[in-house]
């Protein structure tokens, strides 16, 4: 079967890629439907047998984790229907989190590719059609099987677990600083020379609500007064975005320790690249000290992805040891 023979379903969620002027409020808002997005892509019939599914019409900032659970169920139904690959279009504000959620929820080898746009359709140099075209190419490629969920932007192909939105507005905003892109597209060819190692699947039971997980970023001179309130506010887990390889101010240590006795606490790095250490620094508030207090290292996962994993894992009833193992596996 060639790429043009494959059934590819484009599932749309809204976002900048689907935005148009909105007179009553000014500016732009999600407006274009799934068929309109596909119609803007050149030579669509050459790419595959394209189907559309208008799942939602919201900005990326409005998506919730429970929406991604519902979306994963919809994608599973598409695969049961015989679809060969799925493309998801959405707002770029939350692509790194939604891609991570789908990567954890979908136990499949068939390609799932998430994309969006940094420039809306009425702007010069709008990148939506090119990104959608590339995403369809990747979803139709045999090379993309078994890689987990992918994110395709600006001609690059990224693993959902490593990709970050690293600029507010440029078309080149998405990077995988820790691991690098897996591949790229060129002249309608899909090139994937690198393959991520290790997969983690969360078999989520039917639940009415997902575990609430807070993301707390550490800052200079932080004293932990916000951190200590989180369990009483109903949070069932916390991701701490620490300095460097996983450090916090001395004034936070006791509060962080108290929270870790109440709910699982994951330690990530706020730097945007690299991983948390486990056995190098030995001062109070260092990674050795915090891990000895029961904190779970996020490894190479960035804070937003770590929060998604922790929430889904807690919702599935995973113990701390299994959660720690999942972070290690996904870090390669």
């Amino acid at each position: 079967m060639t790429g043009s023979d494959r059934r590819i379903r484009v599932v749309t969620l809204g976002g900048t890629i689907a935005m148009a002027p909105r007179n009553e409020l000014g500016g732009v808002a999600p407006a274009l439907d799934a068929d309109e997005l596909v119609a803007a892509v050149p030579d669509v019939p050459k790419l595959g047998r394209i189907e559309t599914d208008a799942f939602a019409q919201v900005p990326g900032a409005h998506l919730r984790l429970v929406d991604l659970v519902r979306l994963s169920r919809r994608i599973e139904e598409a695969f049961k229907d015989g679809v060969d690959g799925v493309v998801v279009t959405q707002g770029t504000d939350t692509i790194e989190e939604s891609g991570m959620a789908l990567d954890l929820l979908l136990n499949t080898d068939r390609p799932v590719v998430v994309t969006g746009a940094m420039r809306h359709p009425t702007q010069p140099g709008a990148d939506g059609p090119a990104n959608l075209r590339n995403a369809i190419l990747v979803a139709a490629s045999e090379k993309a099987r078994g890689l987990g969920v992918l994110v395709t932007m600006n001609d690059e192909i990224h693993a959902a677990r490593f990709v970050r939105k690293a600029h507010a507005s440029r078309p080149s905003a998405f990077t995988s600083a820790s691991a690098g892109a897996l591949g790229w597209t060129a002249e309608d060819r899909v090139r994937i020379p690198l393959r991520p190692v290790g997969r983690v699947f969360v078999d989520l039971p039917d639940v009415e609500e997902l575990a609430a997980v807070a993301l707390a970023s550490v800052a200079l001179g932080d004293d932990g007064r916000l951190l200590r309130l989180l369990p009483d506010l109903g949070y069932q887990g916390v991701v701490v975005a620490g300095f460097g390889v996983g450090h916090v101010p001395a004034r936070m240590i006791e509060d962080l320790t108290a929270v870790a006795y109440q709910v699982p606490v994951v330690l990530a790095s706020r730097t945007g690249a690299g991983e948390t250490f486990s056995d190098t620094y030995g001062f109070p508030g260092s990674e050795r000290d915090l891990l000895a207090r029961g904190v779970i290292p996020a490894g190479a996962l960035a804070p937003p992805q770590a929060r998604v994993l922790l929430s889904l894992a807690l919702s599935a009833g995973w113990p701390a040891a299994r959660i720690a193992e999942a972070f290690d596996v996904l870090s390669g």
Side-chain angles (χ1 to χ4, degrees), residues 272-284:
E275 67 174 283
T276 51
F277 281 9
S278 59
D279 198 27
T280 296
Y281 295 93
F283 57 83

Side-chain angles (χ1 to χ4, degrees), residues 68-257:
L68 279 304
V69 175
R70 290 176 47 239
L71 177 60
S72 71
R73 305 287 193 250
R74 184 78 70 91
I75 293 173
E76 288 171 347
E77 292 172 1
F79 287 144
K80 290 178 182 177
D81 187 43
V83 167
D84 296 299
V86 169
V87 171
V88 176
T89 67
Q90 69 157 86
T92 58
D93 283 349
T94 51
I95 276 184
E96 57 202 279
E97 289 150 292
S98 59
M100 183 70 191
L102 293 176
D103 191 53
L104 295 168
L105 292 167
L106 292 169
N107 188 11
T108 180
D109 284 339
R110 300 188 202 185
V112 177
V113 186
V114 185
T115 193
M118 295 300 297
R119 294 172 176 165
H120 61 77
T122 64
Q123 283 184 295
D127 54 333
N131 288 338
L132 179 52
R133 180 185 176 86
N134 287 334
I136 293 172
L137 284 169
V138 175
S141 174
E142 190 69 21
K143 297 175 183 177
R145 290 183 65 91
L147 299 181
V149 173
L150 303 173
V151 172
T152 299
M153 295 285 293
N154 200 40
D155 297 343
E156 294 182 330
I157 303 168
H158 300 267
R161 73 180 78 166
F162 293 128
V163 74
R164 296 295 307 276
K165 186 175 183 179
H167 194 279
S169 59
R170 290 176 184 165
S172 58
F174 284 83
T175 67
S176 294
S178 291
L182 302 183
W184 61 89
T185 54
E187 294 184 325
D188 285 355
R189 291 190 298 267
V190 175
R191 302 294 198 190
I192 306 180
L194 306 175
R195 305 181 72 85
V197 175
R199 295 281 301 276
V200 171
F201 172 62
V202 180
D203 188 6
L204 195 67
D206 290 330
V207 291
E208 294 184 3
E209 294 185 8
L210 298 175
V213 173
L215 174 54
S217 185
V218 174
L220 179 71
D222 215 333
D223 62 5
R225 74 179 72 180
L226 177 62
L227 187 66
R228 73 176 73 115
L229 298 175
L230 295 177
D232 290 337
L233 292 174
Y235 287 100
Q236 297 156 270
V238 179
V239 173
V240 174
F243 298 128
V245 296
H247 302 156
V248 303
R251 296 170 69 192
M252 286 187 66
I253 297 172
E254 294 307 318
D255 285 314
L256 192 152
T257 302

